[in-house]
Amino acid sequence: MLKEILVSKAMTYEYPPDGGTVPIIDPYDGCTVGCPYCFQLEDEEWNIDLKVKLNIADILQDELMNWNKEDTVYLGSKCDPYMEIDRKYQLTRKCLIELSKLNMKCMVTTKAGSKLIYRDLDVIKAMGDKFTLLLGLSNLHQLKKIDDCALISNIQTANELHRMGVRVWAFITPILPGITNVELMMNALDKDIPVFLDRVRLKKDTKPAMTLESFIDKHHPELANQYQDIIYNDVDIYYDQVREKWSGDQRVRFVFE
Ligand code: SF4
């Protein structure tokens, strides 16, 4: 159910497996993109409601007054900031405007494929190198429809924005064996876009593990054994091959390694 709420804090914090503290702005709590591997599903309460934080930009404005300008903030963890609902509420745009007023460094993560980011190009371009788009390519809605990677909507967006001078980093995370063909995706991206890779990382017996297993059983039954190995035995032969092939490539980074 959609719930419009008021918040008293704009910034939350996450603590990734490789250490550190990551400040996050989530204009929404909940996500409509529906990735079956989404680690947020570990929280059984997440995404029961889609919460719209109506006042987040006003609260953010106050919080940023005391912010260290050298720190980078991230937009989007418990939501995709460019999912379709932002067409109506424009909270992502409002937060970006607050960040741009103070010349803050910001990274926006999205894989929704809504193209709404083009709406905000006026703000983003003014932010210059303070802005980075972390564009996820493991959007299963896009991948299931198309064989030619050059036609994948998020790859086209990555290339178009990159050519407009927006800093874009592409993420094939997770690499889904039999679904995300890393070589074809890399070849379809402009050659100077950095690409981040990571394997499927799921804890056994959690909701994301069960959701991905059900997704594979339903849509890719021929891959069921391979994914059971990944989920239950921590064996991912395709990822090992990808690492071997790309680890010396200057363009490629392996997340968490
Ligand atoms: S877009 Fe991100 S937050 Fe939304 S379901 Fe996919 S992984 Fe989860």
Side-chain angles (χ1 to χ4, degrees):
M1 186 192 293
L2 188 78
K3 284 191 177 167
E4 295 180 345
I5 62 168
L6 298 177
V7 289
S8 55
K9 290 205 176 311
M11 208 84 75
T12 56
Y13 297 90
E14 286 186 0
Y15 308 94
D18 58 344
T21 304
V22 179
I24 310 268
I25 301 164
D26 276 310
Y28 308 89
D29 186 345
C31 186
T32 54
V33 180
C35 307
Y37 50 76
C38 179
F39 76 94
Q40 298 292 359
L41 292 167
E42 279 182 31
D43 175 358
E44 302 270 345
E45 299 298 310
W46 180 74
N47 224 14
I48 292 173
D49 295 313
L50 176 53
K51 296 177 191 140
V52 180
K53 301 178 184 177
L54 290 176
N55 63 335
I56 191 163
D58 296 335
I59 301 294
L60 182 62
Q61 186 178 37
D62 293 342
E63 281 181 22
L64 287 178
M65 291 303 171
N66 300 318
W67 193 256
N68 178 356
K69 304 231 172 2
E70 292 311 306
D71 286 347
T72 301
V73 299
Y74 291 77
L75 245 150
S77 177
K78 290 189 166 188
C79 73
D80 188 309
Y82 282 117
M83 55 190 175
E84 277 296 330
I85 197 169
D86 198 58
R87 201 177 296 279
K88 174 178 177 190
Y89 289 98
Q90 306 205 11
L91 297 180
T92 296
R93 179 178 174 83
K94 289 175 187 169
C95 288
L96 281 175
I97 289 171
E98 295 308 324
L99 292 164
S100 72
K101 280 183 199 165
L102 294 170
N103 210 19
M104 302 283 305
K105 288 192 268 188
C106 144
M107 293 192 168
V108 174
T109 175
T110 181
K111 66 179 71 156
S114 64
K115 304 277 186 191
L116 269 173
I117 190 164
Y118 290 85
R119 175 200 64 193
D120 295 342
L121 274 177
D122 56 336
V123 185
I124 289 166
K125 282 189 166 179
M127 292 173 88
D129 64 3
K130 303 286 181 188
F131 178 91
T132 308
L133 181 66
L134 312 182
L135 191 50
L137 304 184
S138 298
N139 177 325
L140 292 169
H141 300 291
Q142 295 183 354
L143 295 175
K144 77 178 174 199
K145 291 184 203 144
I146 290 168
D147 293 326
D148 180 353
C149 289
L151 300 177
I152 293 172
S153 178
N154 280 358
I155 289 185
Q156 292 178 332
T157 300
N159 289 338
E160 284 164 9
L161 293 179
H162 171 68
R163 289 168 203 168
M164 287 180 201
V166 176
R167 181 152 64 194
V168 179
W169 296 352
F171 282 72
I172 311 176
T173 53
I175 293 170
L176 296 157
I179 301 172
T180 51
N181 185 318
V182 171
E183 181 152 15
L184 294 181
M185 292 170 109
M186 297 270 300
N187 289 341
L189 284 163
D190 282 6
K191 298 295 169 257
D192 43 0
I193 296 178
V195 182
F196 290 74
L197 304 176
D198 196 22
R199 64 185 173 89
V200 177
R201 292 177 191 271
L202 296 173
K203 294 181 198 147
K204 287 182 220 178
D205 303 324
T206 58
K207 193 172 171 190
M210 289 186 276
T211 308
L212 182 60
E213 192 177 7
S214 309
F215 175 87
I216 294 295
D217 287 346
K218 185 170 176 194
H219 298 284
H220 300 277
E222 73 287 359
L223 300 173
N225 289 342
Q226 200 173 350
Y227 277 79
Q228 289 203 347
D229 257 351
I230 292 169
I231 294 168
Y232 294 104
N233 303 324
D234 205 21
V235 172
D236 190 339
I237 292 166
Y238 180 65
Y239 183 69
D240 294 342
Q241 291 167 346
V242 165
R243 281 193 63 194
E244 198 173 328
K245 181 172 171 66
W246 296 99
S247 54
D249 192 302
Q250 294 295 314
R251 214 179 144 198
V252 172
R253 310 261 193 292
F254 289 89
V255 182
F256 302 131
E257 289 176 29

